[in-house]
Amino acid sequence: MTDTIDQEYDVVVVGGGPGGSTVSTLVAMQGHRVLLLEKDQFPRHQIGESLLPSTVHGICELLGVGEEIAAAGFQKKHGGIFRWGLNPEPWTFDFAISEKFSGPTSYAYQVERMKFDKILLDNARRKGVDVRERHTVVDVLEEEGRVCGVRYTDPEGVRKKVRAKFVVDASGNLSRIHTRVGGERIYSEHFQNIALFGYYKGGKRQPEPKRGNITCASFGRGWFWHIPLSDELTSVGAVLRREEAAGLIQGDREEALTSLIAECPLIEDYLDGASRVTDGPYGEIRVRKDYSYIQEAFWRPGMILVGDAACFIDPLFSSGVHLATYSGLLAARSINTAMLGEISEETCLREYEERYRREYGLFHDFLLEFYDVERDERAYFEQAKQITKDSSTEEKSFVTLVGGGASDEKGLLAAGAMVSESRKADLLGRLPEVHREGSRIQTQAMFGESIGDQPLREGSLVESPDGMHWAVFDPSAV
């Protein structure tokens, strides 16, 4: 059977989740022709409902959906609550104590991903992306060692192919095409967990300002998340070590989840008086294999892996959407720059991979330490400071890391709200004193221009003044 030939695009993005929506929108906003192929019909259920400030006040502002997200009625999240380590009492962290999230940006949202992801995908359409749902990509096209397009089937089952200068795989951990970049997925020896989760109505809430905070509570078999999505709806999941989960998930999932809740007094108390949702998109008790992994290669000529297609880390610190959207931004910069022709594609994509690997590594390395429950919170704070090399206090370093601000990425900090010149000067003056990467994306969203970037190493690139490209570092301009 001969494939029908579609038109040619500058970029084809596979997958319409937050990573795919981010990269496609930021490339289309530069005037490039972008096709996005999504196998599902939105809205669709997805896990990963707890966001970080860097996504809300950085990426969403750059995408132009900040006001829409704010008006969507999502539950505000000012920090998190942990029943973890040697301290028998729950302890709390607040985003506001970090300079990077202080003031009006010291919160994130707990979101129903069906609604959040659709907002981002619909925005991509408005920004000029050709979005096609119920289109399944089955393979890539190659010519002389370079990926030059994809093969896919449309909703009627007709096989087609489309050519493009770049293919971005943002189709998640179940990607069909991630292997085409070469190499293998390397699975973590430490984070091989299984998540069993469902949704509940009713139950208890913390008093303000903790009402919308995520709670993570360790217990004998693993740990629980408790995410208040609204005044009534709560996402509850148990993350179990592989050996603990084996016998449970094969039987009655309802019985298994109920028994696990009974083993964790804090979560059992939260759910006192609650009832499990049993119908609609939240009516199923689901299982997710949360094995952490990283791909040996993130790109090859003509092809880039974004988000979970490249790597996945244990969900304890709610980093999934942050890593997906952050990698989408980095990939967009690389594509936008390579298509200008002034810096080579290889140089741009190496910059992408190095920065994305570094961000993944920060979460991975800290999680290795955090899973040692024979410590108290002060020890975790100190470890966060050591890993991030932040010059602020230990507790502030911890909040900066778990808030998604440890990467020195200027677009990830400071909201898109208007600020005074004195406030801008204060932020600029403080950047040398804190770990700067995490502050850049939100600051980019606020001021509309770069406020300075440093190369990762000698010969690395820096972001351009508009934040949408890479540039060669000029020491004389600092």
Side-chain angles (χ1 to χ4, degrees):
M1 179 178 178
T2 303
D3 296 340
T4 302
I5 300 176
D6 206 336
Q7 66 189 95
E8 185 170 339
Y9 288 80
D10 293 315
V11 181
V12 172
V13 176
V14 184
S21 292
T22 296
V23 64
S24 63
T25 301
L26 296 178
V27 172
M29 288 170 65
Q30 295 298 307
H32 303 301
R33 297 166 299 155
V34 183
L35 171 66
L36 187 152
L37 300 173
E38 164 58 48
K39 66 181 178 63
D40 292 326
Q41 179 74 48
F42 279 37
R44 52 90 175 96
H45 176 270
Q46 184 59 274
I47 195 63
E49 298 132 328
S50 195
L51 303 188
L52 303 185
S54 55
T55 301
V56 172
H57 304 296
I59 298 294
C60 288
E61 293 292 343
L62 293 175
L63 294 174
V65 294
E67 292 184 3
E68 189 174 358
I69 296 295
F74 295 130
Q75 175 70 61
K76 275 191 175 181
K77 164 189 173 183
H78 293 282
I81 300 168
F82 281 94
R83 212 320 296 160
W84 200 277
L86 293 177
N87 189 343
E89 297 300 320
W91 47 275
T92 300
F93 73 87
D94 295 314
F95 294 130
I97 73 164
S98 170
E99 287 91 346
K100 295 182 178 181
F101 308 121
S102 61
T105 68
S106 59
Y107 65 90
Y109 291 112
Q110 315 284 20
V111 300
E112 295 182 63
R113 286 287 302 276
M114 289 190 297
K115 298 177 182 178
F116 177 77
D117 290 10
K118 190 173 188 305
I119 288 174
L120 297 192
L121 190 64
D122 288 345
N123 178 65
R125 284 191 178 93
R126 291 195 300 269
K127 294 297 194 299
V129 178
D130 181 354
V131 175
R132 302 182 192 177
E133 298 172 74
R134 299 172 58 216
H135 285 66
T136 302
V137 172
V138 295
D139 203 356
V140 301
L141 305 176
E142 288 187 60
E143 283 183 3
E144 300 179 353
R146 179 182 179 85
V147 172
C148 60
V150 298
R151 288 187 174 88
Y152 67 96
T153 57
D154 68 12
E156 287 71 43
V158 178
R159 290 174 48 185
K160 297 183 178 181
K161 61 183 179 181
V162 58
R163 297 178 60 85
K165 298 172 184 175
F166 288 93
V167 171
V168 176
D169 181 12
S171 57
N173 67 315
L174 298 178
S175 165
R176 294 185 176 192
I177 61 172
H178 73 276
T179 58
R180 301 304 298 272
V181 299
E184 298 180 354
R185 278 184 177 174
I186 307 300
Y187 285 88
S188 170
E189 297 178 0
H190 305 281
F191 304 120
Q192 296 189 6
N193 299 323
I194 305 292
L196 180 70
F197 61 97
Y199 296 83
Y200 291 79
K201 283 188 176 180
K204 297 180 180 179
R205 291 286 187 268
Q206 291 286 323
E208 294 291 2
K210 301 177 184 178
R211 184 176 182 82
N213 284 7
I214 184 174
T215 296
C216 297
S218 64
F219 71 113
R221 297 176 188 254
W223 62 274
F224 264 98
W225 76 69
H226 179 279
I227 302 174
L229 297 175
S230 69
D231 287 343
E232 283 295 313
L233 184 64
T234 307
S235 172
V236 178
V239 180
L240 311 172
R241 293 182 291 274
R242 179 178 57 179
E243 59 272 18
E244 293 286 352
L248 286 171
I249 63 175
Q250 301 302 323
D252 186 305
R253 292 181 181 180
E254 174 94 49
E255 181 179 326
L257 187 54
T258 300
S259 67
L260 290 168
I261 290 170
E263 295 179 25
C264 188
L266 180 61
I267 300 302
E268 185 178 37
D269 180 61
Y270 278 5
L271 294 177
D272 184 31
S275 59
R276 191 177 72 80
V277 178
T278 56
D279 57 5
Y282 296 129
E284 179 183 351
I285 294 180
R286 292 179 165 90
V287 172
R288 166 78 183 262
K289 186 172 77 171
D290 281 333
Y291 286 14
S292 298
Y293 58 81
I294 190 165
Q295 188 76 16
E296 286 185 309
F298 284 12
W299 65 275
R300 61 174 288 194
M303 183 176 179
I304 310 169
L305 304 183
V306 160
D308 288 357
C311 52
F312 175 80
I313 191 65
D314 183 278
L316 180 59
F317 292 130
S318 306
S319 58
V321 175
H322 163 69
L323 289 173
T325 56
Y326 176 54
S327 64
L329 169 63
L330 297 178
R333 282 185 190 151
S334 298
I335 292 169
N336 291 338
T337 306
M339 288 203 289
L340 287 177
E342 298 173 358
I343 300 176
S344 73
E345 174 185 326
E346 180 179 357
T347 301
C348 293
L349 295 182
R350 287 188 185 279
E351 188 71 30
Y352 163 75
E353 179 165 349
E354 187 169 1
R355 292 195 182 228
Y356 190 21
R357 282 186 183 274
R358 182 185 64 168
E359 186 75 351
Y360 175 90
L362 285 171
F363 282 95
H364 180 275
D365 292 350
F366 185 60
L367 278 163
L368 283 175
E369 303 295 335
F370 201 79
Y371 261 79
D372 179 0
V373 295
E374 297 303 316
R375 302 182 182 188
D376 63 17
E377 59 267 33
R378 302 310 311 180
Y380 300 134
F381 297 164
E382 182 179 350
Q383 193 64 41
K385 181 177 176 68
Q386 293 177 12
I387 288 174
T388 62
K389 298 180 174 60
D390 198 333
S391 61
S392 61
T393 68
E394 286 84 355
E395 187 172 2
K396 290 179 180 179
S397 300
F398 173 82
V399 173
T400 295
L401 174 59
V402 302
S407 65
D408 264 352
E409 174 57 62
K410 73 166 92 33
L412 287 176
L413 259 197
M418 294 299 293
V419 296
S420 65
E421 286 300 312
S422 62
R423 170 65 172 153
K424 180 176 179 179
D426 175 61
L427 284 169
L428 291 171
R430 200 165 57 219
L431 281 175
E433 303 171 9
V434 297
H435 193 65
R436 300 182 311 169
E437 183 74 13
S439 68
R440 288 205 305 268
I441 291 179
Q442 287 188 41
T443 309
Q444 170 71 31
M446 177 186 284
F447 303 130
E449 60 181 15
S450 170
I451 59 172
D453 188 11
Q454 293 289 323
L456 297 185
R457 53 177 173 74
E458 186 176 354
S460 292
L461 302 175
V462 294
E463 68 176 84
S464 62
D466 68 359
M468 293 296 104
H469 300 82
W470 298 119
V472 175
F473 178 60
D474 180 4
S476 67
V478 178

